[in-house]
Amino acid sequence: MSAAPPDVIASVARQHSEVHTPSSQVVHFDASAPLRLACQQDLAPFSIAYETYGELNADKSNAILICHALTADQYVASRHPITGKPGWWANIIGPGKPIDTDRFFIICTNVLGGCMGSTGPASINPKTGEPYGLQFPIITIGDMVEGQARLMDHLGIDQLFAVVGGSMGGMQVLEWASRFKDRVFAAVPIATAAWHSSQNIAFHEVGRQAVMADPDWAGGNYHAEGKVPRNGLAVARMAAHITYLSEDALHRKFGRALQDRSSLTFSFNADFQVESYLRHQGSTFVDRFDANSYLYITRALDYFDLREGRDGVLANAFRGTQTRFCIVSFTSDWLYPTRESRRIVQALNAVAANVSFVEIESDKGHDAFLLEEPTFHATVKGFLNAAALKRGLPPATETTA
Amino acid sequence: MSQADLFTTDGAKARVDHMLIAEMVEAGSRVLDVGCGDGELLRLLSEKRGVDGRGVELQRDKVNACVARGLSVIQGDADRDLDNYPDQAFDYAILSLTIQATRKPQTVLENLLRIGKRAIVSFPNFGHWRVRSSLAFGGRMPVNDNLPDLWYLTPNAHLCTIRDFADLCERIDAKVERAVAFSDYGRPLPIKWSLSMQNLFGEKAVFLLRSSSS
């Protein structure tokens, strides 16, 4: 891609400003409180950007942390500052909704390594005054959770009523529940796994190689050179996006329908609607996401394995847990299939944990957890209501029951 | 139990075998209900006996309904998933009208006695006189309230009589602490009746068991 069109330059500028001065709230942790990362480097200073909804009650017992997936952010139930679209989980979070902002205090952070205000590879490295780029240390899911825990300390929240998240967010939920057993009353890991499978690492590698093969990536130094590896990142997103859907969902949406034409062009134009759709997904993603963040966060997922350091036994991660778990999977999710959830359930059973497990019938693939799935929403609502009762939180009012 | 105890908070009448199970379970204990269905027993135990209950259920829609009602239930298979539970994790492991639908009843029962300090099992009695007469005079597999499905539609794989079940308990060294059979009208049969009489007139039976090694 040569000279970028003006709207692209504008979106890159908006993305840039969200990295450094997010529209949401942000806490800066200064150099006196470094974060010791899994790679044994200290990260300092660092920032955690976050959004909140609802009111924290007097004894700070009604806080729910929402953990976002790979390419999402803290704008879980509010308008996105770059795209202008509603929050990515606005269908489940709000007044009277399954995650009820009338009852609970909802917190959603941008993960460490992200590009919406939490410290990541697009942030300025205080040592050089330039964006970190590849100088940013490799981070893990555990590091993301440590960062979130720092924010909870800052907010004075000792114990979260619940930690909820899907996909990579689900991994953070599991990490929270095993790392900070006393700080999590209830946990809802959705469409996730206790370790990243070889197949999923393989998909991520395709995405990373696509980014790094783009000449505009410039060895990770594209910020300094005023470039953006748009094509590479778009291809990465296109490949990943396919894994979020199911064959049925794609077929129902597109089949082999042609895009704006009545016959094949005998070329490599986007003849099929599905091609055009993927190109659109790729190009809009580039407008809101930083390419290096994509590399770092996919790496964090690949490194995730809750068995590590626990004699290779997943159950050891949960030994002694008092947390109430609700595990959810979807029938057509082939990225994090039900068997991955079942492994978590088995490990929790092995330590006699309090666990619910629901497999939701859906043909929408991995993305089902983001979509309107009434059974899924009823599950989350029922589980949280019962947990709130156990936690001694006041019951939902009639209008929201 | 008083008449009021027969009803749950929403006014529904509890199943008689559920009522008896609720009577057998100590208040405030930890209970695993295997094949918990719609969670009625779990709810009854929670409301009437204050138990900390968990459930396992094979059918997805029933699991979803249980969890949406706030019960701790997992989607799973009694034949496959009980191996994961540690020894003596629960005070009671319950199998209510489910054992006949398992593939390996003996293994399931052994698992129940391992996971629970006690096991409670209820099952339809295939030795009941109406079953016998259906086979003896009609020459057909019985279809009645207790065994409602035709032979090719039934989930039941291993039907047994009260005598058969007692034999299995003996075989695996399970101590029968209590055994109650119910008449067609859901009344417990007199305790002084012999096992043969219970076997002939009991439509369902509930056994409270303990592993002899515990």
Side-chain angles (χ1 to χ4, degrees):
Chain A
M1 186 177 283
S2 50
D7 58 327
V8 169
I9 293 167
S11 73
V12 169
R14 273 201 303 278
Q15 197 189 101
H16 188 75
S17 79
E18 286 299 325
V19 171
H20 304 291
T21 50
S23 309
S24 65
Q25 303 174 74
V26 58
V27 178
H28 302 285
F29 297 92
D30 63 28
S32 68
L35 194 70
R36 175 43 71 102
L37 303 171
C39 66
Q40 299 304 312
Q41 288 191 48
D42 282 338
L43 185 64
F46 70 98
S47 303
I48 301 289
Y50 66 103
E51 284 276 273
T52 66
Y53 312 86
E55 301 282 335
L56 187 60
N57 63 8
D59 60 357
K60 301 188 175 184
S61 61
N62 70 334
I64 297 181
L65 174 67
I66 306 292
C67 301
H68 71 71
L70 200 167
T71 64
D73 45 51
Q74 68 271 41
Y75 300 102
V76 60
S78 41
R79 205 158 284 285
H80 196 279
I82 296 176
T83 65
K85 288 184 179 163
W88 54 271
W89 231 4
N91 59 2
I92 198 170
I93 297 175
K97 292 186 180 171
I99 301 175
D100 189 348
T101 50
D102 287 339
R103 300 178 70 194
F104 305 118
F105 177 62
I106 317 293
I107 309 156
C108 185
T109 78
N110 184 215
V111 296
L112 219 52
C115 52
M116 293 299 284
S118 291
T119 301
S123 307
I124 299 298
N125 181 351
K127 288 193 185 122
T128 62
E130 299 282 327
Y132 275 102
L134 294 194
Q135 298 304 306
F136 194 70
I138 291 289
I139 48 147
T140 63
I141 299 290
D143 295 332
M144 295 175 182
V145 164
E146 286 287 343
Q148 289 165 339
R150 289 289 188 90
L151 175 65
M152 297 316 134
D153 296 342
H154 171 82
L155 297 173
I157 296 167
D158 293 332
Q159 191 196 48
L160 288 156
F161 164 61
V163 185
V164 184
S167 198
M168 180 181 87
M171 294 177 185
Q172 294 164 56
V173 174
L174 294 172
E175 184 75 46
W176 260 100
S178 63
R179 189 178 283 243
F180 300 111
K181 290 192 173 64
D182 299 339
R183 299 191 76 170
V184 182
F185 185 80
V188 189
I190 302 157
T192 193
W195 58 86
H196 217 226
S197 71
S198 174
Q199 175 174 275
N200 290 350
I201 295 170
F203 278 123
H204 277 172
E205 179 60 4
V206 170
R208 284 191 294 265
Q209 289 300 327
V211 170
M212 294 192 280
D214 187 328
D216 286 343
W217 181 62
N221 212 23
Y222 52 92
H223 289 294
E225 297 189 12
K227 297 171 180 166
V228 178
R230 287 184 63 81
N231 293 342
L233 184 57
V235 170
R237 174 64 173 179
M238 287 165 75
H241 198 81
I242 299 168
T243 70
Y244 304 151
L245 307 174
S246 68
E247 188 174 3
D248 281 347
L250 274 174
H251 184 77
R252 192 182 52 238
K253 218 166 177 173
F254 307 109
R256 289 181 55 84
L258 300 182
Q259 178 74 34
D260 301 332
R261 66 203 68 192
S262 52
S263 58
L264 301 177
T265 64
F266 295 97
S267 72
F268 295 108
N269 295 327
D271 280 3
F272 294 102
Q273 278 182 12
V274 65
E275 295 173 312
S276 164
Y277 168 76
L278 282 179
R279 288 183 186 190
H280 174 75
Q281 287 294 332
S283 72
T284 53
F285 179 62
V286 171
D287 293 340
R288 67 174 176 87
F289 214 85
D290 176 65
N292 283 338
S293 265
Y294 194 82
L295 303 183
Y296 276 87
I297 296 178
T298 55
R299 205 69 189 135
L301 280 154
D302 294 348
Y303 279 1
F304 185 64
D305 186 349
L306 264 189
R307 297 169 301 183
E308 206 155 284
R310 295 177 172 112
D311 300 328
V313 178
L314 180 59
N316 289 342
F318 303 115
R319 214 160 281 285
T321 185
Q322 296 298 310
T323 302
R324 302 168 69 86
F325 287 85
C326 181
I327 317 283
V328 182
S329 72
F330 296 90
T331 50
S332 56
D333 183 351
W334 57 280
L335 192 62
Y336 298 103
T338 292
R339 67 170 176 274
E340 303 279 359
S341 287
R342 228 177 254 289
R343 284 192 184 119
I344 301 165
V345 174
Q346 284 164 0
L348 288 166
N349 282 340
V351 297
N354 188 321
V355 50
S356 294
F357 162 55
V358 171
E359 184 189 31
I360 307 280
E361 177 113 49
S362 167
D363 68 353
K364 294 174 189 149
H366 180 62
D367 263 356
F369 82 91
L370 296 168
L371 303 171
E372 204 57 59
E373 285 285 358
T375 316
F376 166 51
H377 288 193
T379 298
V380 171
K381 183 176 186 163
F383 173 78
L384 288 179
N385 281 349
L389 197 68
K390 291 280 178 195
R391 182 69 185 84
L393 296 172
T397 54
E398 275 306 305
T399 51
T400 60
Chain B
M1 260 189 205
S2 76
Q3 199 60 26
D5 282 339
L6 290 170
F7 294 89
T8 48
T9 43
D10 63 358
K13 196 169 189 297
R15 248 167 55 185
V16 284
D17 59 320
H18 285 176
M19 291 311 303
L20 185 71
I21 291 169
E23 194 195 293
M24 288 176 173
V25 167
E26 267 179 59
S29 54
R30 282 164 55 86
V31 169
L32 179 69
D33 184 5
V34 180
C36 66
D38 54 11
E40 264 319 303
L41 177 61
L42 277 175
R43 195 166 69 138
L44 183 77
L45 291 172
S46 158
E47 284 176 7
K48 297 292 177 198
R49 311 295 283 162
V51 307
D52 177 13
R54 320 278 164 76
V56 179
E57 169 57 38
L58 192 58
Q59 288 183 46
R60 195 184 294 140
D61 53 339
K62 289 185 175 167
V63 179
N64 295 349
C66 284
V67 177
R69 286 164 63 189
L71 299 167
S72 298
V73 173
I74 68 169
Q75 202 268 326
D77 184 342
D79 279 305
R80 202 185 50 207
D81 296 339
L82 295 181
D83 294 345
N84 303 313
Y85 289 87
D87 296 355
Q88 311 276 293
F90 294 90
D91 296 311
Y92 301 89
I94 297 175
L95 198 60
S96 136
L97 300 185
T98 299
I99 195 164
Q100 76 281 359
T102 63
R103 284 190 302 279
K104 294 178 182 166
Q106 182 182 333
T107 313
V108 170
L109 192 57
E110 284 167 344
N111 258 326
L112 290 185
L113 288 160
R114 180 184 64 77
I115 296 165
K117 293 179 181 132
R118 284 186 170 77
I120 302 175
V121 181
S122 72
F123 57 92
N125 173 28
F126 213 69
H128 186 255
W129 67 269
R130 277 201 286 148
V131 174
R132 298 190 196 192
S133 71
S134 172
L135 275 167
F137 303 113
R140 290 174 183 278
M141 287 297 279
V143 177
N144 55 47
D145 289 350
N146 213 22
L147 299 162
D149 303 307
L150 290 163
W151 66 273
Y152 52 90
L153 293 174
T154 181
N156 297 336
H158 290 105
L159 287 157
C160 67
T161 69
I162 290 175
R163 269 178 181 281
D164 291 329
F165 188 77
D167 285 351
L168 176 61
C169 292
E170 202 175 298
R171 185 188 157 84
I172 64 169
D173 236 3
K175 192 173 176 305
V176 179
E177 293 198 337
R178 217 177 141 189
V180 181
F182 292 95
S183 73
D184 316 15
Y185 306 105
R187 289 205 193 88
L189 298 176
I191 295 169
K192 60 176 188 286
W193 280 19
S194 67
L195 196 63
S196 329
M197 289 286 278
Q198 307 254 10
N199 199 22
L200 187 57
F201 291 105
E203 198 179 38
K204 288 187 193 98
V206 181
F207 277 61
L208 175 65
L209 306 169
R210 185 162 58 81
S211 167
S212 55
S213 59
S214 64

